[in-house]
């Protein structure tokens, strides 16, 4: 079964999925269709009873890859799919997808690479910030098994009868409530994880604290993690209202933003320790070796200027600083009435699919 061709795998899954489900699914409708999400596209499958108005989309490509890698056998994969089908909420208030009065309190934002998602974004209202795209989503259900949500596309926005600008405002307002921010130093996160693992292994408390102290001394880079409490699509937290300034206040100055993944941003104080080119090389290397394609955010480094309140690519910030330096060394031209500002501040703009 390990070398089963994808077409045969799909045919087998469609024909046998009901054998793994309870009797109430014997008349269920099984559909296959291409499915697009931010950062990925795949062949999806839904299994829906007549009394269900929504159902999850099962990623058949992902399960096929697991079969090919030998992670699970076909029987185990079918059982996993059946579990996903049965986790589906049997009924959802359709107002969440059709009535803006219901939907607006369940709106939240996600952020992705605009260039990688051009085709999908052509049918989706979004706000572009540099090479990043802020998109708008409706939270359908949230629980221990994850979240069910629906991206707002152009047709849904028309059905809602609202503008993209209103979507943006309402999604920014409700996102911090639905997915509260979690900002912590990387050192603290790593220490807590190490402490938890050592306790689970039965290491004596005194020895744990000695090892944590040694580890803290080795971690000299003052990185801060920006994500949400669910640690899912948490990179969007950076674009919550006021959060860029809040981070600047905590760090007492400007900072670089490293897009670790769609789930988190890493923040590094701009203290002159590293250049944007060095930081970008680090981000690219990590993206190519450690980050799954569907979770990759961008091969870029950003900077936040706390004085001018500008979010921009780090290279653009450095060019602005060079221009300012040149302006300051130029002769005073007040008498000739030719003095002009070098830069006009920019305005700041930030599961289970159904």
């Amino acid at each position: 079964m390990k070398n089963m061709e994808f077409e045969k795998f799909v045919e087998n899954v469609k024909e046998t999925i009901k054998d793994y489900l309870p009797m109430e699914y014997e008349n269920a409708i099984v559909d296959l269709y291409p499915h697009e999400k931010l950062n990925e596209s795949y062949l999806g499958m839904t299994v829906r009873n007549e009394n269900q108005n929504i159902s999850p989309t099962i990623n058949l490509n992902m399960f096929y890859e697991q079969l090919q890698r030998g992670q699970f056998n076909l029987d185990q994969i079918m059982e996993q799919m059946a579990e996903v089908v049965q986790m589906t909420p049997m009924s959802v208030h359709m107002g969440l997808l059709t009535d803006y009065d219901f939907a607006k309190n369940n709106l939240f934002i996600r952020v992705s690479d605009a260039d990688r998602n051009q085709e999908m974004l052509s049918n989706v209202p979004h706000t572009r910030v540099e090479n990043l795209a802020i998109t708008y989503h409706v939270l359908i259900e949230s629980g221990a098994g994850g979240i069910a949500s629906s991206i707002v596309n152009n047709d849904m926005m028309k059905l809602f009868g609202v503008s993209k600008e209103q979507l943006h405002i309402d999604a920014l307002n409700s996102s911090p409530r639905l997915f509260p921010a979690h900002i912590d130093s990387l050192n603290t996160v790593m220490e807590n994880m190490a402490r938890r693992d050592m306790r689970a292994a039965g290491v004596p408390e005194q020895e744990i604290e000695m090892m944590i102290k040694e580890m803290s001394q080795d971690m000299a880079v003052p990185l801060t993690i920006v994500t949400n409490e669910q640690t899912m699509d948490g990179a969007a937290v950076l674009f919550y209202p006021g959060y860029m300034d809040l981070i600047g206040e905590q760090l007492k100055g400007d900072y670089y933003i490293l897009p670790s993944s769609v789930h988190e941003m890493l923040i590094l104080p701009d203290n002159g320790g590293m250049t944007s080119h060095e930081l970008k090389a680090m981000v690219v290397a990590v993206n190519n070796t450690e980050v799954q394609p569907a979770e990759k955010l961008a091969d870029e480094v950003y900077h936040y200027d706390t004085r001018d309140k500008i979010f921009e690519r780090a290279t653009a910030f450095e060019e602005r600083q060079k221009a300012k330096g040149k302006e300051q060394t130029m002769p005073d031209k007040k008498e000739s009435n030719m003095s002009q500002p070098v830069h006009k501040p920019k305005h700041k703009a930030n599961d289970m699919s159904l």
Side-chain angles (χ1 to χ4, degrees):
M1 289 295 184
K2 184 176 179 180
N3 295 318
M4 180 185 291
E5 295 178 4
F6 183 63
E7 292 77 10
K8 292 181 180 178
F9 169 77
V10 171
E11 183 181 350
N12 186 283
V13 167
K14 185 175 181 180
E15 291 179 355
T16 63
I17 184 63
K18 292 182 187 179
D19 296 339
Y20 292 82
L21 292 166
M23 285 295 295
E24 60 260 32
Y25 285 90
E26 63 178 339
N27 295 318
I29 301 168
V30 181
D31 285 322
L32 302 174
Y33 61 96
H35 187 72
E36 282 197 25
K37 291 179 66 176
L38 292 172
N39 284 358
E40 63 178 330
S41 58
Y42 52 83
L43 181 63
M45 181 180 75
T46 58
V47 182
R48 183 173 55 85
N49 266 328
E50 290 183 1
N51 61 337
Q52 289 179 269
N53 51 24
I54 65 168
S55 59
T57 301
I58 296 172
N59 185 337
L60 293 177
N61 296 76
M62 179 190 71
F63 281 110
Y64 177 70
E65 289 170 9
Q66 291 179 353
L67 179 67
Q68 292 299 97
R69 290 195 297 264
Q71 289 179 264
F72 304 99
N73 61 40
L74 184 59
D75 193 55
Q76 291 171 324
I77 284 175
M78 296 302 299
E79 289 175 352
Q80 289 182 50
M81 290 185 185
E83 287 179 9
V84 174
V85 171
Q86 293 175 80
M87 284 194 304
T88 306
M90 298 302 288
S91 181
V92 168
H93 196 308
M94 288 306 292
L96 288 171
L97 303 177
T98 60
D99 189 331
Y100 196 64
D101 287 337
F102 284 100
K104 68 178 180 180
N105 291 325
N106 278 38
L107 286 172
F108 66 96
I109 60 172
R110 283 177 173 158
V111 63
S112 62
D113 187 321
D115 296 330
R116 288 180 62 202
N117 293 282
Q118 283 186 10
E119 185 175 350
M120 182 175 187
L121 292 173
S122 66
N123 298 309
V124 170
H126 62 280
T127 298
R128 185 159 179 148
V129 187
E130 292 293 344
N131 64 317
L132 301 177
I134 298 171
T135 48
Y136 313 104
H137 306 254
V138 180
L139 180 63
I140 305 298
E141 186 172 274
S142 179
I147 71 168
S149 66
S150 176
I151 190 169
V152 178
N153 58 29
N154 291 337
D155 291 337
M156 192 183 299
M157 184 174 68
K158 289 180 182 178
L159 188 63
F160 284 156
V162 295
S163 65
K164 185 195 76 173
E165 290 72 23
Q166 190 62 50
L167 268 177
H168 186 78
I169 292 170
D170 292 337
L172 287 181
N173 286 336
S174 53
S175 289
R177 171 176 51 81
L178 298 173
F179 296 97
H182 182 79
I183 301 174
D184 208 346
S185 76
L186 180 61
N187 290 6
T188 301
V189 172
M190 296 297 291
E191 288 172 12
N192 290 338
M193 289 174 61
R195 186 178 281 109
R196 181 195 61 203
D197 292 344
M198 285 188 283
R199 282 174 178 162
V203 179
E205 198 68 26
Q206 186 175 359
E207 189 175 336
I208 289 176
E209 294 309 316
M210 289 178 60
M211 295 175 71
I212 292 295
K213 186 176 181 180
E214 291 177 2
M215 187 173 73
S216 299
Q217 293 171 350
D218 293 336
M219 294 190 296
V221 181
L223 285 170
T224 299
I225 296 179
V226 175
T227 185
N228 54 37
E229 290 183 357
Q230 294 82 355
T231 64
M232 180 181 294
D233 291 295
V237 166
L238 186 71
F239 298 97
Y240 285 5
Y243 270 75
M244 290 190 196
D245 289 326
L246 176 64
I247 294 167
E249 290 171 8
Q250 293 178 352
L251 298 180
K252 296 181 172 57
D254 293 2
Y255 53 89
Y256 290 104
I257 300 115
L258 284 62
S260 175
S261 73
V262 296
H263 303 304
E264 63 186 22
M265 296 281 201
L266 295 180
I267 305 299
L268 179 68
D270 179 6
N271 55 16
M274 296 184 75
T275 66
S276 64
H277 296 289
E278 292 171 327
L279 291 171
K280 183 171 181 176
M282 184 171 65
V283 169
V284 171
V286 171
N287 278 341
N288 289 338
T289 58
E290 304 294 334
V291 182
Q292 295 294 323
E295 297 181 346
K296 179 179 173 180
L297 184 48
D299 285 335
E300 194 56 81
V301 174
Y302 308 96
H303 183 277
Y304 188 65
D305 184 332
T306 55
R307 181 176 179 179
D308 293 337
K309 300 186 183 302
I310 299 174
F311 172 87
E312 61 194 331
R313 299 184 200 221
T315 51
F317 168 74
E318 291 174 355
E319 289 300 318
R320 280 201 305 115
Q321 296 309 103
K322 289 179 183 178
K324 282 184 178 180
K326 289 179 181 178
E327 183 187 53
Q328 290 171 359
T329 59
M330 291 175 65
D332 189 357
K333 296 185 179 180
K334 286 184 179 178
E335 293 182 4
S336 63
N337 226 6
M338 293 176 63
S339 179
Q340 296 183 15
V342 173
H343 176 79
K344 292 183 179 181
K346 301 176 185 176
H347 294 290
K348 288 195 303 179
N350 218 148
D351 62 331
M352 190 188 298
S353 292
L354 302 175

